Amino acid sequence: MTMFARALVGALCVAVAGPAFAQDDVQTFNAFAVVNANGTIVRSAEKQVVVAASLSGPLFIETDEGPQQAGRVSCALSSKIDQASRKTSASGGCTFTAGDGATAWGEWDCAGYELVGCRGTFKLTGGTARFAGATGESTLIWRPTVHELKKQLDGTTLDNASGIVLWRDFKLKGK
């Protein structure tokens, strides 16, 4: 990955200073976050549950030399799970925070299967400081790995999970 490309990827979250990028320049890259997810599962029908959760963890950009830590990401998740078919649909939003405090945010949706995860789209919707005016989109993949469920007296279930969120073929465009 060239120095210019690294600076451009920095527009998403790399915590190093980099030059501004031109309006029509588009950079494509892959990123991932290793996250902890905490939320509540509520029964919404006989064979349906809704999950409201937050996911957060360190963000990495894939480079030719391997993953490079780029900051942190926090995402909100709302998911419906059909317990008969195990199909799930989810949506949410994410905030990316670089080491210098600049932020970028976006929205996503996906579909898949309970405990397997989901695949969908992510769209960058704005940012602050050096990320102001940046736009972009990618494929988003959420893969939970470990679940720790705790039944509550009110009938809800607390879910603590870990997993990985991937942004594939992220196309980023400057201001």
Side-chain angles (χ1 to χ4, degrees), residues 17-159:
F21 47 99
Q23 181 175 1
D24 294 327
D25 287 344
V26 175
Q27 178 67 37
T28 301
F29 60 94
N30 293 319
F32 66 93
V34 179
V35 297
N36 287 316
N38 300 291
T40 303
I41 301 170
V42 177
R43 179 160 305 287
S44 58
E46 185 178 343
K47 299 245 182 222
Q48 180 176 291
V49 296
V50 174
V51 179
S54 63
L55 295 77
S56 63
L59 177 72
F60 297 88
I61 303 295
E62 293 179 7
T63 72
D64 294 340
E65 293 82 31
Q68 303 252 336
Q69 189 164 0
R72 294 196 54 81
V73 64
S74 295
C75 299
L77 166 120
S78 177
S79 177
K80 277 187 184 178
I81 301 169
D82 179 310
Q83 292 183 303
S85 68
R86 297 293 190 204
K87 288 184 179 179
T88 185
S89 61
S91 62
C94 295
T95 297
F96 303 94
T97 306
D100 65 1
T103 59
W105 52 83
E107 298 176 345
W108 58 272
D109 58 34
C110 65
Y113 291 91
E114 180 183 21
L115 303 178
V116 174
C118 62
R119 175 184 291 261
T121 58
F122 176 85
K123 184 173 182 172
L124 193 65
T125 57
T128 66
R130 60 189 163 103
F131 305 144
T135 60
E137 60 187 19
S138 74
T139 297
L140 177 130
I141 303 166
W142 159 235
R143 294 287 181 251
T145 54
V146 177
H147 288 272
E148 178 186 314
L149 303 173
K150 292 183 182 178
K151 187 83 169 172
Q152 302 298 297
L153 294 176
D154 64 1
T156 62
T157 302
L158 297 181
D159 184 8

